[in-house]
Amino acid sequence: MQGFVEFTNRSQGRERLFRATQYTCMLLSYVIERNADNEKLVLKLRQLESSMSSGRKMFRLGNVVHALVAARKTTELPEVLPRICLTASNLTRALYFFCDTVLWLKSVGLQSDINKAKWQNWATKCYYFSLLMNLARDWYEVSWRLEQAVQEEKMKNCCWDKQNQELNSSKWNGLHGFLFLLFQILRSHPPLLLDVVKNLCDLSGPLDTLGIYKTNPGVIGFCGLLSSLVGILTLASPHLKLKE
């Protein structure tokens, strides 16, 4: 109970809970909307979804500064590719949060002359690019671990006879060998696995909004809920968050 209180006392924790509720409502309304008897329930779910979205914008106010501070920190990373990917991701996240703040001003009526569609499009593009940079960083983490695993396997084989080496090398050749090794790496590195899952799930929204790959509210709701649960897990258990 104390852990839950500490979690909800943080604005990030409340935002994650609101996000999970928002996408749960989206998923449920998509599932039950085909039944005409559930029309009132669907309407209530969509109203709750809209309220959760507005509440999240409140919690994200000020995140522009957080993203800029994170970008400054990532410029000091020793490795080039993670430094470029994470800095670009944080900078575009800062732009996304700026657009989000402008949209919040529009939603509360403080700036009624704002072009909502234009700012939403900019926000989605910034969010999409940030996710791509995060996935590029994830692939870098996976690729060097793959290379490390192959090198370790070669070292183990150096004392084997030729026949055993051929049998063992055939195990790693081809798609099945690659997928097996990838599975082993992700299983042995939970923070990396969770980060990959979260970033892939988050892609469903901007891909649909930008018209790159159209899905439906059910898929977006499910992916958003799964991503939110991962976010809650990594926030509640920091050791499961991928280190920068």
Side-chain angles (χ1 to χ4, degrees):
M1 182 63 69
Q2 183 61 30
F4 178 78
V5 172
E6 292 176 357
F7 178 81
T8 53
N9 277 341
R10 290 178 285 182
S11 61
Q12 271 191 327
R14 293 193 292 271
E15 195 274 337
R16 300 284 169 86
L17 292 174
F18 272 48
R19 189 177 193 268
T21 304
Q22 176 188 346
Y23 284 110
T24 299
C25 292
M26 182 185 292
L27 178 59
L28 289 177
S29 62
Y30 176 79
V31 170
I32 66 177
E33 70 178 349
R34 297 178 184 178
N35 191 336
D37 298 333
N38 295 325
E39 185 176 348
K40 290 184 178 180
L41 179 57
V42 170
L43 181 60
K44 289 181 179 179
L45 286 171
R46 287 178 176 167
Q47 289 174 343
L48 180 57
E49 177 190 335
S50 178
S51 298
M52 292 296 103
S53 178
S54 299
R56 288 180 59 212
K57 282 181 168 52
M58 283 288 294
F59 291 130
R60 292 198 298 264
L61 292 176
N63 278 4
V64 173
V65 178
H66 295 171
L68 291 175
V69 170
R72 187 182 64 179
K73 290 181 179 179
T74 53
T75 57
E76 300 172 358
L77 292 175
E79 298 180 62
V80 177
L81 190 57
R83 182 168 69 241
I84 293 173
C85 292
L86 290 177
T87 301
S89 174
N90 285 319
L91 288 175
T92 49
R93 278 178 64 245
L95 291 173
Y96 162 72
F97 288 132
F98 177 77
C99 295
D100 194 56
T101 302
V102 172
L103 290 169
W104 176 78
L105 293 174
K106 167 74 174 180
S107 66
V108 297
L110 294 177
Q111 289 290 335
S112 57
D113 58 338
I114 290 173
N115 188 329
K116 184 178 178 180
K118 180 178 71 174
W119 282 94
Q120 279 184 332
N121 186 55
W122 285 352
T124 303
K125 287 180 178 178
C126 290
Y127 184 51
Y128 176 61
F129 185 78
S130 177
L131 290 174
L132 291 181
M133 290 297 97
N134 287 338
L135 284 169
R137 187 273 181 109
D138 288 340
W139 177 246
Y140 171 81
E141 295 287 339
V142 170
S143 62
W144 81 259
R145 284 184 169 89
L146 282 170
E147 184 178 352
Q148 188 177 41
V150 171
Q151 293 298 326
E152 288 176 357
E153 196 63 31
K154 288 181 178 179
M155 291 295 294
K156 291 178 183 178
N157 293 340
C158 66
C159 298
W160 288 17
D161 58 42
K162 185 176 179 180
Q163 182 179 3
N164 284 334
Q165 287 186 35
E166 290 176 353
L167 289 173
N168 191 71
S169 63
S170 64
K171 181 177 71 172
W172 304 109
N173 290 334
L175 180 61
H176 291 292
F178 170 77
L179 292 177
F180 177 78
L181 189 56
L182 179 62
F183 171 76
Q184 292 291 336
I185 289 171
L186 292 176
R187 188 180 67 171
S188 59
H189 297 86
L192 179 56
L193 172 62
L194 291 174
D195 199 65
V196 170
V197 170
K198 183 180 184 303
N199 288 324
L200 287 175
C201 287
D202 285 340
L203 271 180
S204 62
L207 284 176
D208 182 80
T209 304
L210 296 173
I212 299 172
Y213 185 80
K214 285 290 186 180
T215 52
N216 58 62
V219 173
I220 297 172
F222 175 77
C223 291
L225 176 57
L226 181 56
S227 170
S228 301
L229 293 176
V230 171
I232 290 172
L233 179 62
T234 55
L235 189 60
S237 303
H239 68 279
L240 292 175
K241 182 176 177 61
L242 187 63
K243 300 295 187 294
E244 294 185 350

